[in-house]
Amino acid sequence: MMILIYVLISAVIFYSVAMIKKPVLRISMTTIGLLLLVGAVGLTTLNFNQHWGMKEVTTTQTRAIYSAAPAQSPVKMVIKKELGTKADNYVLVYRDHADDQEAEAHFIPDKDDMNKLVHSSATYRVADVDEATVTTKVTRWRFDSDLAKYLFSFAGMDGSLARQSSVVTVPKEGWTVMTPDEAKAAAKKAAQMQQQMMEQQAQMAGH
């Protein structure tokens, strides 16, 4: 907010200079106004481009996730779809809660939020763990002092996203990560096997 005050003071000084008759005083006031204006613009530019007066604050959250496969499926799964040319970045499909009726796609790029689109990523890994989880690490820009907050609070930079990354971890036992095509093929195969079993049971019952 103080930066805006400096700009306003500079404008007032430049407007008033024309009414000053003494050359020395006019030059002095012009210099002061110019310095205030250049300083205000320079500091604001540093805040926007270099995040001057700010620091990175990171929060990390881990929570359990649940299989995208139907409840009767013997194998649990996460469905992956790689995004564009950005290496190791995916949309991942899974359930957030065990009783969810349908699995949901997560980490779909938000084209309406360019900052989040550029600075967000999601991937997966298979590890020797007991449960599937997603860990999200979010880093935001925060003012590093009361002075910085006083100077730049008008700019709306406090809390802006620096970067966000999510990692889905699935157990190597009993879980698999598939593409949508692989998941469809697996579902089709499971349905065929189930149909064959029903036919065999019907034949055995007929004898």
Side-chain angles (χ1 to χ4, degrees), residues 133-185:
T133 60
V134 57
T135 299
T136 300
K137 184 181 293 186
V138 181
T139 301
R140 297 188 180 277
W141 291 106
R142 298 293 185 185
F143 291 123
D144 63 7
S145 66
D146 290 338
L147 175 61
K149 183 177 181 180
Y150 184 57
L151 290 173
F152 304 116
S153 58
F154 76 96
M157 295 295 288
D158 186 43
S160 61
L161 183 68
R163 57 187 171 276
Q164 176 176 314
S165 63
S166 297
V167 180
V168 168
T169 302
V170 298
K172 65 181 183 180
E173 297 294 337
W175 281 75
T176 185
V177 180
M178 295 183 174
T179 65
D181 289 342
E182 290 170 341
K184 289 178 182 178

Side-chain angles (χ1 to χ4, degrees), residues 42-177:
L43 289 177
T44 302
T45 301
L46 284 173
N47 179 253
F48 270 106
N49 295 338
Q50 305 297 329
H51 296 96
W52 187 84
M54 309 195 81
K55 62 182 179 180
E56 293 184 347
V57 177
T58 300
T59 58
T60 302
Q61 182 184 41
T62 298
R63 59 182 178 82
I65 63 171
Y66 302 89
S67 175
Q72 64 272 22
S73 174
V75 178
K76 299 177 181 179
M77 73 170 65
V78 169
I79 300 173
K80 64 177 180 179
K81 182 174 178 58
E82 192 165 15
L83 291 172
T85 58
K86 190 175 181 180
D88 205 27
N89 192 34
Y90 298 86
V91 170
L92 298 167
V93 181
Y94 53 83
R95 286 179 171 82
D96 291 304
H97 307 93
D99 56 356
D100 287 347
Q101 294 298 313
E102 300 289 339
E104 292 186 8
H106 299 76
F107 317 118
I108 298 173
D110 185 356
K111 296 181 180 179
D112 294 329
D113 188 340
M114 187 56 63
N115 187 49
K116 187 174 182 180
L117 177 65
V118 172
H119 295 106
S120 296
S121 65
T123 189
Y124 70 92
R125 69 188 186 100
V126 179
D128 187 12
V129 294
D130 295 327
E131 66 173 358
T133 60
V134 57
T135 299
T136 300
K137 184 181 293 186
V138 181
T139 301
R140 297 188 180 277
W141 291 106
R142 298 293 185 185
F143 291 123
D144 63 7
S145 66
D146 290 338
L147 175 61
K149 183 177 181 180
Y150 184 57
L151 290 173
F152 304 116
S153 58
F154 76 96
M157 295 295 288
D158 186 43
S160 61
L161 183 68
R163 57 187 171 276
Q164 176 176 314
S165 63
S166 297
V167 180
V168 168
T169 302
V170 298
K172 65 181 183 180
E173 297 294 337
W175 281 75
T176 185
V177 180

